Each structure stands twice: as structure tokens, then as C-alpha cells.
Amino acid sequence: NFRTSRDSLTSQVVYHADDSMVVDIPAEKMYLYGKISSVKYEDNDLSAPQIQFDQKTSLVSAFLKKDSSGKVIAYPFYNQKDFQAVSDTIRFNMKTGKGLTKGTYTKQGELFVYGEKIKKADSATFYVLGTRFTTCNLDTPHFAFIAKRAKFVNKKWAYTGPVHPEFEGVPLPIALPFGIFPLSQGR
């Protein structure tokens, strides 16, 4: 029997680094490097080429990796229950489960969602700034709905402010004052 500190995490953290791991003890930070580095904590699963863990704030950050010509080699991938995302940058707090991602692709029901910034409020709700969502599964979709802000409730609804359609990258001069989109599977 031993006493744990009050600021310790509630369960075990499993981590792996393909290339190397650097521990900065005075700064209380840990860095994982490699093509596939991973961190697993409770139902959070993160894999990325570069992961940073700040022990003071319980903040985990993951970044993409580029080669010398600027081409992206590997993206960070985040998975929590029904929420899966591929992003440029991922940051989340291991204690609260809240997070912020940049340049994120995710799938909600039958919708493919891209967000410039996504703020994860809890395991079922996230907010998107600069969103494009569509049923087309291409990186550059043939059609999409564009909204400045949106709220997604996992497997239930998506709510937006003003929204307009876009075909082949050309916005249509039609705008709706708001949008409510169901995220359920099937009919």
C-alpha cells in the first residue's frame, strides 16, 4: 500500500515510442518520437509521430510530421469511444477529457466533417469553427455545406449558424439562416 498524490491520474497510462523518448525532469515533460508513437489512457487512444506530455497540466499534445520537402509523412490520430479524428495538431487534457484540434477530419454518422478548429467539450459534444461537412468521402469533396460555427452532438444532431452549399469549391449564392442535421445511421 502506498499513497498517491492528489494530482495524479486516475488510471494507468500506456505509451510507446518507435524512435525515442525524452524525459525532461525539471520541466516535468515527456516527449515521444517515432513514426508511430502512441498514448493510451482510459478510453483515449492517441497515435502520432510526435507526442508531448506535460505532467504539470496533464496536457497531451500531438503534432504531424513533415519531410524535408514539406510533404506530410504522418498525421496524429485520436480515438475516443465513437469519436475518431485525424488532425494536424491535437491537444487534450487527460484529467478533464476536453481537447482542441486544428485541421481535423472526422466522421459523424454518414457525414464527413472538416473543421479548422474543433473544441471537444465532453465525450459526446464538440464545437467546430470553420466547418465543412458532406457525405462525399473525398479529401476535396464535390459538394459540401459550409458554416462558420457548428455544434455536434455525437450520433444525434448537428446545429449550425448561417450555412451555405458549395459545389466543386464554388459557393452558391444561397444561404440558410441556420442548419439542423440529423447524424443517425440509416434512414
Side-chain angles (χ1 to χ4, degrees):
N1 292 334
F2 61 91
R3 290 185 356 184
T4 60
S5 81
R6 289 178 290 171
D7 62 345
S8 65
L9 297 172
T10 58
S11 69
Q12 182 180 8
V13 177
V14 179
Y15 58 89
H16 168 77
D18 279 351
D19 184 23
S20 61
M21 179 179 83
V22 177
V23 178
D24 186 359
I25 295 188
E28 296 182 26
K29 292 185 179 181
M30 182 171 61
Y31 303 92
L32 303 173
Y33 298 101
K35 188 165 183 176
I36 302 174
S37 298
S38 64
V39 174
K40 294 177 184 166
Y41 175 71
E42 292 178 347
D43 61 348
N44 297 309
D45 188 6
L46 176 68
S47 61
Q50 180 182 353
I51 299 174
Q52 174 185 342
F53 174 62
D54 188 350
Q55 192 173 7
K56 291 178 188 175
T57 60
S58 297
L59 189 68
V60 174
S61 304
F63 308 99
L64 59 80
K65 184 176 182 181
K66 294 183 180 181
D67 63 6
S68 60
S69 66
K71 183 180 176 185
V72 176
I73 297 172
Y75 287 97
F77 179 76
Y78 178 73
N79 185 10
Q80 182 188 27
K81 293 182 185 174
D82 298 328
F83 181 78
Q84 297 178 348
V86 176
S87 304
D88 294 341
T89 304
I90 298 173
R91 286 191 171 92
F92 75 92
N93 190 312
M94 293 180 82
K95 287 184 179 178
T96 63
K98 296 180 180 181
L100 181 69
T101 64
K102 294 181 181 177
T104 303
Y105 288 95
T106 184
K107 185 176 180 188
Q108 292 294 308
E110 295 179 4
L111 288 177
F112 294 94
V113 179
Y114 170 77
E116 292 174 15
K117 290 183 181 179
I118 294 181
K119 181 180 179 182
K120 194 165 183 311
D122 56 34
S123 62
T125 308
F126 61 95
Y127 300 92
V128 184
L129 180 67
T131 183
R132 172 182 10 159
F133 47 97
T134 180
T135 56
C136 182
N137 63 353
L138 300 174
D139 287 341
T140 307
H142 295 103
F143 62 93
F145 286 98
I146 310 297
K148 188 172 182 179
R149 293 186 179 129
K151 175 183 178 180
F152 287 83
V153 179
N154 201 8
K155 292 190 175 183
K156 292 183 182 176
W157 297 96
Y159 307 98
T160 69
V163 62
H164 69 274
E166 179 179 276
F167 289 97
E168 294 291 335
V170 178
L172 293 179
I174 301 168
L176 301 171
F178 62 90
I180 299 175
F181 302 92
L183 298 177
S184 58
Q185 296 276 351
R187 295 181 144 189

